[in-house]
Amino acid sequence: MWHTGNIYIITGIAVIGGGLFGFDIASMSAIISTQPYLCYFNQGPDGPGYNDMETCSGPNSSTQGGITASMAAGSWLGSLISGVISDRLGRKTAIQTGAVVW
């Protein structure tokens, strides 16, 4: 007979994972206002390469939306692929592969 384990421990680990994912998304809001981020993704009209201003304008709204959505898209794609990789390589090897990729 299959034994699942303590459902409260399993649920607690899932809640911690969801909280960490929310923390990653929330940390994005702190990063997008910094000058290094704005200058790296600068699309004008202000900043080096466009004029002599020291501050950069950052990405336009559609580019910023793509950058932010790529976090969720990567999580979605990773969750789809992880089951197939675990079935083919085994759970331990799949986790080690994910750690190397990360």
Side-chain angles (χ1 to χ4, degrees), residues 57 68 75:
S57 299
T68 305
S75 298

Side-chain angles (χ1 to χ4, degrees), residues 78-95 97:
S79 66
L80 286 178
I81 294 173
S82 66
V84 175
I85 292 174
S86 290
D87 287 344
R88 292 183 188 222
L89 301 177
R91 182 180 57 88
K92 183 178 179 181
T93 307
I95 291 171
T97 304

Side-chain angles (χ1 to χ4, degrees), residues 9-70:
I9 293 174
I10 295 170
T11 305
I13 290 171
V15 167
I16 290 170
L20 289 174
F21 181 72
F23 178 74
D24 286 345
I25 295 292
S27 67
M28 188 72 176
S29 65
I31 293 170
I32 63 175
S33 62
T34 62
Q35 277 301 313
Y37 177 85
L38 293 175
C39 288
Y40 185 81
F41 293 106
N42 193 17
Q43 293 180 328
D46 293 331
Y50 294 97
N51 57 23
D52 293 331
M53 294 186 69
E54 293 293 323
T55 59
C56 300
S57 299
N60 59 30
S61 60
S62 61
T63 304
Q64 180 59 51
I67 293 167
T68 305
S70 67

